Amino acid sequence: KTDGGLTGKSGADFIRGNAPFIPFGAVIAGAIIKSESFQTVIIKSGEVQNRVRSGDLICNGSSETPEELAMCSIVESELDDLYLNSFCFGFRVFHEAKIDGHFMTYLIRSSSGRVRFSELAQGSTRYNISKKAFKDVEIKLPPIKEQQAIAEAIKSCDSAIEE
């Protein structure tokens, strides 16, 4: 499942918000989105916006360079009302897909992933990628158990570096 970010918002909606959202910079910053990076936006009662759940993969659809386009981060926070900024799109990976979200995040952020997705960049001063172009990329994946083992090893190394 693919979802877009916030729609119908003006600058005033971001001044004193009542609901957390994931800013663009949090997606670029690292493979795992940190909850302390959340900002707030006004979401009115009855307003329909796509919500983000734990396990969702978030990618930026726009960037100043092709190499930073379609960076991928995973959401580990579980909040009922968490939203995504309008410059990104989210993917929900379902269990039956046999895809480990952390593995996919690290793969897309890897040097080979950067080459693959930067080739799809459209633009000259600001680069963009459509959700359709992103979804059409074919990626060969190892079995789910191997994905999980690789992801856990990388996550462990990342944690050690942060300490």
Side-chain angles (χ1 to χ4, degrees):
K1 178 183 178 202
T2 309
D3 287 325
L6 293 165
T7 59
K9 297 294 171 191
S10 70
D13 292 313
F14 296 92
I15 295 172
R16 285 189 205 91
N18 61 344
F21 78 95
I22 300 169
F24 178 87
V27 176
I28 298 296
I32 298 171
I33 295 176
K34 308 284 186 203
S35 59
E36 57 269 14
S37 69
F38 296 166
Q39 295 176 8
T40 58
V41 61
I42 293 173
I43 302 291
K44 296 176 181 150
S45 179
E47 184 176 345
V48 177
Q49 296 284 353
N50 294 320
R51 288 184 172 93
V52 177
R53 293 192 329 215
S54 180
D56 285 355
L57 305 182
I58 309 299
C59 299
N60 61 312
S62 179
S63 180
E64 292 178 3
T65 67
E67 296 77 25
E68 287 187 339
L69 186 64
M71 292 296 275
C72 188
S73 298
I74 189 166
V75 176
E76 291 184 336
S77 302
E78 187 66 66
L79 296 173
D80 288 337
D81 293 314
L82 177 61
Y83 301 91
L84 181 60
N85 76 73
S86 57
F87 297 104
C88 295
F89 49 90
F91 291 92
R92 186 155 297 143
V93 179
F94 294 100
H95 179 70
E96 57 273 5
K98 303 239 188 276
I99 297 171
D100 181 83
H102 287 89
F103 176 83
M104 185 61 74
T105 298
Y106 293 126
L107 180 63
I108 292 171
R109 292 181 81 87
S110 73
S111 57
S112 61
R114 297 294 76 230
V115 168
R116 188 89 181 263
F117 287 98
S118 67
E119 291 171 349
L120 300 174
Q122 297 177 342
S124 57
T125 58
R126 185 96 187 145
Y127 297 91
N128 299 292
I129 186 170
S130 70
K131 286 186 280 188
K132 181 183 177 343
F134 187 94
K135 286 172 51 175
D136 286 347
V137 172
E138 288 187 32
I139 299 174
K140 292 186 182 204
L141 299 173
I144 187 70
K145 295 271 188 211
E146 193 172 330
Q147 291 176 50
Q148 292 166 337
I150 293 167
E152 188 55 41
I154 295 170
K155 189 174 178 182
S156 178
C157 289
D158 279 353
S159 294
I161 291 168
E162 286 181 12
E163 293 174 1

